Amino acid sequence: MSEVTLESKTKGLSGEVRVPGDKSISHRAVIFSSLAEGTSTITNFLTGEDCFRTVEAFRQMGVNIEEEGSTLKIHGQGVQKLTAPTQPINFGNSGTTARLMSGVLSALPFFTTAYGDESLSKRPMDRVVLPLKEMGAVIHGRNSSSFLPLAFSGTTLRGMRHELKVRSAQVKSALLLAGLLSEGDTTVVEKGVTRDHTEKLLPQYGVDLEVKGSEITISGGQALSASDLQVPGDISSAAFFMVAAAITPGSEVTIRDVGLNETRNGIVTALERMGASIDYDIHTYIGDEPVGDVRVSTSTLEGVTIEGELIANLIDEIPILALAATQAEGETVIKDAEELRVKETDRIYAVVENLKRLGADIEARDDGMVIKGGRALNGGVLDSFGDHRIGMMAAIASLVTEGPVTILDKECINISYPPFFEHLDQLR
Ligand code: S3P
């Protein structure tokens, strides 16, 4: 397990950075291009470990995927030409691969088995397995198929109407993919708004779907055609530098070409509410995805309550938002975020434990946390708990601590942001 020690306090961050491609969109681009007929070129693909799990899954099913830096050339031959993997598929740490691919594998006419790492093996899969079984999927797995490893027998699925029990873009996308590969129509009724990259991107591959309020309907049996795509920068990665610039004295940072999809930009809303000096402009649309530059400078922050609808819109940014809250005047309350308990690690526990080690006034709640800001933070030894976003939060904390911060198990940052430390150094 590798560790790194970061010196405390910096003069301030300045300059520009381009964060790697969006993780959610990168996964979807690989899946849709692999199911399509023809060659799709994906640029600014996120070359993090998670997205390569999705790439490897399709390679095991016979898809030729060439890589050159952050460009992928995916030579799809259509769904019919996919072949049964001879070995189990390793989903690694990737929840998105596990959930979305469960939708795909359930509907392919062959047997597949899949497993994940220790963290992924603890994460709930019944949220996709149960609705897939209602469509006729034959899935076996540990603990009544609630957890990986899972085995998919592959069968003809029937389209149906699903009323989602969890608010989750992964579940929605898994069911839409299963619906696309099924007989008949599938409607997914969301429990609340979640990221809509699947709905925005599928039409680019020639797929028709209908979005009416919280209901999305897709007809089975549609063929996908290849499509080129430039992946926007990941707002979830950009969030670390937004907060870094806001809390570090003497900072002014511009993050270029960030995806600003309105189902993902909650971090900007939250920082605005906290009084941050942040602004952005949308300069391009890639397909239906808005892309822009975000500028942030040192800010005087105030505590806020983050709850309800906003939570899904910034779910992956809560660890770094909690760090921002330690630097704000007054109390920040984060609630309705119980989903954090089943992310790569229990993120409520991991955030509270780490920020307490730095001397922050922070308490866990079942569905979030309460942070009283304005206390100076000391240095310390923090644990990423193998979770990339916790590791990056720890690194950003070192910008404001009195002493150095050591981060245990820093390797996990490669899951979503391989050049993170390089970019942090550039801005320092
Ligand atoms: C993702 C959806 C979110 C998010 C995850 C990526 C996606 O998970 O936390 O990092 O790409 O669909 P849930 O759908 O489980 O909320």
Side-chain angles (χ1 to χ4, degrees):
M1 221 168 45
S2 68
E3 57 181 65
V4 62
T5 297
L6 300 174
E7 287 313 316
S8 62
K9 292 212 164 157
T10 330
K11 284 199 278 346
L13 302 183
S14 63
E16 293 183 7
V17 65
R18 255 189 192 81
V19 296
D22 186 86
K23 183 154 82 70
S24 295
I25 297 177
S26 294
H27 281 296
R28 286 157 175 80
V30 174
I31 297 174
F32 304 164
S33 303
S34 297
L35 299 175
E37 238 179 274
T39 297
S40 303
T41 303
I42 315 298
T43 47
N44 201 35
F45 174 76
L46 170 60
T47 58
E49 286 169 16
D50 262 20
C51 295
F52 278 115
R53 295 297 177 182
T54 303
V55 167
E56 287 306 324
F58 280 104
R59 282 184 173 149
Q60 279 184 253
M61 290 189 276
V63 181
N64 174 10
I65 303 180
E66 295 178 84
E67 304 161 37
E68 203 183 315
S70 60
T71 299
L72 292 187
K73 266 195 191 324
I74 303 180
H75 304 284
Q77 293 192 288
V79 179
Q80 318 304 335
K81 293 274 171 61
L82 295 172
T83 53
T86 54
Q87 298 298 315
I89 298 177
N90 183 358
F91 292 152
N93 191 252
S94 178
T96 309
T97 309
R99 271 66 174 261
L100 270 59
M101 290 305 292
S102 293
V104 173
L105 297 175
S106 297
L108 295 177
F110 46 71
F111 176 75
T112 328
T113 55
Y115 65 102
D117 70 4
E118 207 183 312
S119 148
L120 190 59
S121 303
K122 289 185 198 140
R123 297 181 65 186
M125 293 299 147
D126 46 354
R127 52 180 61 195
V128 283
V129 167
L130 293 175
L132 286 168
K133 282 185 172 172
E134 286 179 47
M135 297 173 83
V138 182
I139 305 171
H140 294 283
R142 192 163 55 88
N143 209 342
S144 312
S145 50
S146 298
F147 298 98
L148 289 165
L150 292 173
F152 302 85
S153 288
T155 182
T156 307
L157 303 185
R158 299 175 300 274
M160 62 174 283
R161 182 182 173 88
H162 295 280
E163 310 237 347
L164 295 193
K165 295 194 177 65
V166 276
R167 187 170 176 166
S168 161
Q170 292 178 350
V171 176
K172 167 179 65 178
S173 302
L175 298 177
L176 289 174
L177 280 163
L180 179 61
L181 304 174
S182 297
E183 284 177 355
D185 290 352
T186 293
T187 298
V188 177
V189 186
E190 287 209 81
K191 208 180 163 203
V193 178
T194 63
R195 63 191 69 192
D196 62 356
H197 305 301
T198 299
E199 300 90 300
K200 285 201 152 82
L201 195 53
L202 271 177
Q204 269 180 252
Y205 287 81
V207 173
D208 276 336
L209 45 78
E210 190 181 57
V211 181
K212 262 199 203 152
S214 61
E215 291 194 19
I216 308 132
T217 301
I218 193 164
S219 298
Q222 301 182 62
L224 293 88
S225 45
S227 176
D228 294 340
L229 177 74
Q230 190 187 346
V231 181
D234 197 328
I235 190 166
S236 298
S237 298
F240 293 97
F241 295 122
M242 292 183 203
V243 169
I247 64 176
T248 312
S251 298
E252 198 172 335
V253 168
T254 301
I255 310 152
R256 296 247 179 247
D257 305 330
V258 183
L260 292 166
N261 180 308
E262 61 185 21
T263 62
R264 292 284 299 283
N265 61 6
I267 181 67
V268 175
T269 310
L271 287 172
E272 277 171 349
R273 281 196 202 163
M274 293 175 88
S277 312
I278 181 166
D279 69 83
Y280 65 90
D281 58 81
I282 292 171
H283 58 64
T284 333
Y285 275 80
I286 299 181
D288 278 342
E289 297 281 356
V291 180
D293 299 338
V294 182
R295 282 168 295 276
V296 190
S297 51
T298 311
S299 313
T300 309
L301 300 178
E302 282 166 33
V304 285
T305 296
I306 308 285
E307 61 186 331
E309 287 291 305
L310 191 56
I311 291 294
N313 203 314
L314 48 62
I315 189 74
D316 293 336
E317 289 66 77
I318 291 175
I320 193 65
L321 198 58
L323 174 68
T326 67
Q327 303 303 297
E329 275 306 314
E331 190 176 86
T332 293
V333 180
I334 297 170
K335 46 180 164 177
D336 305 321
E338 52 282 325
E339 197 51 31
L340 292 177
R341 297 267 182 210
V342 289
K343 290 294 178 189
E344 283 81 335
T345 185
D346 175 343
R347 284 186 176 159
I348 295 178
Y349 171 78
V351 166
V352 170
E353 169 67 21
N354 277 315
L355 292 177
K356 267 196 175 157
R357 287 188 200 175
L358 299 180
D361 186 343
I362 177 167
E363 291 300 331
R365 296 276 183 271
D366 287 348
D367 67 341
M369 55 196 89
V370 178
I371 305 138
K372 292 198 177 75
R375 254 202 213 179
L377 299 183
N378 47 256
V381 179
L382 303 187
D383 195 340
S384 71
F385 296 103
D387 183 326
H388 51 131
R389 302 206 197 279
I390 302 295
M392 289 186 274
M393 184 274 282
I396 299 299
S398 73
L399 299 172
V400 292
T401 51
E402 296 293 341
V405 172
T406 298
I407 307 162
L408 303 180
D409 195 4
K410 70 163 168 63
E411 230 79 280
C412 59
I413 291 173
N414 289 329
I415 284 169
S416 67
Y417 200 158
F420 172 75
F421 286 108
E422 230 170 277
H423 289 180
L424 180 58
D425 272 351
Q426 263 171 41
L427 295 174
R428 281 169 99 127

